[in-house]
Amino acid sequence: MEREKFIEAMAKRTHIAAGSEMHIHMHEMSQRALQYTSKINNSYHAPEELKKLFFELIGKEYDETFGLFPPFSTDYGQNISIGKRVFINSGCCFQDQGGIEIGDDVLIGQQVVIATLNHDFNPEKRGNMSPSPVKIGNKVWIGAHATILPGVTIGDGAVVAAGAVVTKSVPAFSVVAGVPAKIIKSIEQ
């Protein structure tokens, strides 16, 4: 399967059957992601070199305004889009098969997890998966150890508190905290 066809299928939220062509493609591409993340994580790189490795990993045009503190982990790597002036802190893990879209001026804290796949609830079909993209608006701040679950959209200017588990979309200019995350206040503009 070609990467473009896989990404199109993910955008349509196509179900992924265990052992299918799409499932096999995911495993093949995970090996590519492991090669890149191994380069990123296992030795020192000057900031410019690190940025170049990251953008090779995600298959997008290099952006000098991007910042990353390794280690960084992803299990597909090529279904991530990054806006301008984005910073990803150390220890983040992106499960990007279903698609991760990050807007401009976003700060992502240490050890944030972004997931875009859910497994089937039926134990007999647990290997099957359903993708749902995660969209992060502009000027969002995601605190350390937060987890963003599949299908969540985080509105512009929102803040996700450290340790929050975000199960539902977050309105613009709101602060969410807790497990599951709930709105605790609004941000005055």
Side-chain angles (χ1 to χ4, degrees):
M1 168 170 263
E2 295 176 9
R3 182 182 69 86
E4 292 78 18
K5 286 187 177 184
F6 178 82
I7 290 174
E8 283 177 23
M10 295 301 94
K12 294 177 184 175
R13 298 184 180 203
T14 303
H15 183 75
I16 304 164
S20 68
E21 183 182 10
M22 283 194 296
H23 193 232
I24 292 166
H25 172 78
M26 285 172 40
H27 283 280
E28 290 170 352
M29 294 306 289
S30 71
Q31 295 306 301
R32 178 190 177 278
L34 285 169
Q35 289 173 355
Y36 273 97
T37 56
S38 178
K39 288 178 193 174
I40 288 169
N41 298 331
N42 291 323
S43 64
Y44 172 78
H45 301 282
E48 295 306 311
E49 183 183 3
L50 185 60
K51 292 175 195 180
K52 287 178 183 173
L53 282 169
F54 181 85
F55 282 95
E56 285 176 23
L57 165 66
I58 69 170
K60 302 289 189 310
E61 189 175 322
Y62 172 80
D63 175 19
E64 65 183 26
T65 69
F66 174 76
L68 172 69
F69 282 176
F72 174 79
S73 177
T74 185
D75 49 6
Y76 188 77
Q78 295 193 29
N79 205 1
I80 301 170
S81 65
I82 303 274
K84 299 287 185 190
R85 298 167 302 280
V86 169
F87 176 71
I88 299 172
N89 214 325
S90 62
C92 290
C93 181
F94 289 9
Q95 180 197 49
D96 68 299
Q97 289 93 334
I100 297 172
E101 181 181 319
I102 301 171
D104 296 335
D105 303 300
V106 172
L107 302 174
I108 299 177
Q110 294 172 327
Q111 298 182 345
V112 167
V113 173
I114 301 176
T116 64
L117 293 175
N118 275 318
H119 285 276
D120 199 303
F121 282 107
N122 180 340
E124 302 302 317
K125 298 179 181 181
R126 192 63 42 88
N128 296 346
M129 292 168 272
S130 298
S132 291
V134 169
K135 296 181 181 180
I136 300 169
N138 298 319
K139 299 183 180 180
V140 169
W141 173 23
I142 301 174
H145 299 273
T147 299
I148 314 299
L149 295 183
V152 166
T153 295
I154 301 174
D156 291 347
V159 175
V160 175
V165 176
V166 184
T167 61
K168 296 179 181 172
S169 292
V170 176
F173 302 101
S174 60
V175 178
V176 297
V179 179
K182 293 183 177 19
I183 298 171
I184 60 170
K185 70 183 200 175
S186 294
I187 298 170
E188 292 186 31
Q189 300 173 53

